[in-house]
Amino acid sequence: MSVLSFRDVWVEYGEKIVLEKVSLDVAEGAFVSIVGPSGAGKSTFLRLVLGQEAPSRGRIYLDDEPLCPEPGPDRGVVFQRYSVFPHMTVLKNVMFGVQCKGKSTNVREEAVEMLRHVGLGDNLDAYPAALSGGMQQRLAIAQALITHPRILLLDEPFGALDPGVRLDMHELITTLWREHGLTILMVTHDIKEAFKLGTRVIAIDKRRKDPQAPHRYGSTAVYDFPLDKPNAAIRKELEKMVGEAAA
Ligand code: ADP
């Protein structure tokens, strides 16, 4: 079953076409990595799913229903930085999401349980400023998951972390994905990370380029691979496209 479907989606700002003709389905339980050169429209794609932006043309469905054009508890998101509320304790940060949803039973227990899952069980009363970068991202993940979203969106979530911490976070997100049966869309510029974590890699880029009028054509899903086959050649090609050597 598809959790998310894009049907011929376009995003245009005046003359400038950012995304064109994007059609894809995301199956329940998939971990989709989204890669592409800088400025290709990856964040725009996530903003569409979040409901922070509406397509200029085309339709987006969540569980076969038209996507609610506003952010909601059915979509959780973790950004590279600044996802958490600095003036609230770790526990309050996570409880806040459930309280906003209007469900008040067992909020505290649910939040504590979720914080244990992400490894912050001993930091409930700390403020975000007292946490390391990795711990803040653990908190942001707990905050995003507490409403049991249908889809978890990750926008370069580990991009600002040291390599060792990054590896710990890879382990954490993989465990959470398996244990909670999550459906994940993750934007990353790190091809190695995309292939390591994803069950599918989608590359967003322009199919056609007009050097005289760079905004004339938008980006679309130019590659879309399930990662169940040997993929060394694909990786090489994507590394070239994103313009980075694998770490
Ligand atoms: P990526 O995440 O792949 O780096 P973005 O989605 O941030 O790319 O941006 C894609 C393109 O859309 C860029 O050229 C950017 O300048 C443009 N863009 C994004 N938002 C707006 C906006 N509100 N108005 C005009 N152009 C925008």
Side-chain angles (χ1 to χ4, degrees), residues 13 16 18 37-44 47:
Y13 300 108
K16 180 174 182 176
V18 174
S38 183
K42 304 181 293 296
S43 300
T44 304
R47 282 204 304 278

Side-chain angles (χ1 to χ4, degrees), residues 39-150:
K42 304 181 293 296
S43 300
T44 304
F45 179 82
L46 284 194
R47 282 204 304 278
L48 287 172
V49 182
L50 264 178
Q52 288 179 340
E53 188 144 3
S56 317
R57 285 185 258 168
R59 299 218 176 276
I60 305 172
Y61 298 91
L62 191 68
D63 287 325
D64 293 331
E65 298 284 332
L67 183 90
C68 176
E70 281 180 14
D74 49 6
R75 286 149 287 162
V77 65
V78 176
F79 297 105
Q80 190 176 103
R81 287 175 204 265
Y82 310 123
S83 301
V84 300
F85 301 112
H87 60 288
M88 290 184 192
T89 64
V90 163
L91 181 59
K92 287 267 163 60
N93 256 286
V94 176
M95 286 170 64
F96 184 69
V98 190
Q99 281 158 346
C100 282
K101 216 171 66 168
K103 285 193 180 174
S104 57
T105 48
N106 299 331
V107 179
R108 194 174 193 283
E109 288 95 303
E110 266 185 60
V112 170
E113 185 59 25
M114 184 56 76
L115 284 162
R116 282 210 190 102
H117 268 287
V118 302
L120 291 178
D122 293 333
N123 306 85
L124 303 181
D125 297 321
Y127 283 86
L131 303 179
S132 68
M135 287 163 98
Q136 290 201 22
Q137 287 311 72
R138 285 172 187 267
L139 175 56
I141 291 170
Q143 204 182 37
L145 289 182
I146 194 69
T147 59
H148 304 288
R150 287 292 290 146

Side-chain angles (χ1 to χ4, degrees), residues 200-212:
R200 175 180 172 190
V201 173
I202 295 178
I204 295 182
D205 197 6
K206 292 179 195 290
R207 247 187 236 291
R208 298 168 292 180
K209 291 183 183 152
D210 180 347
Q212 308 305 321

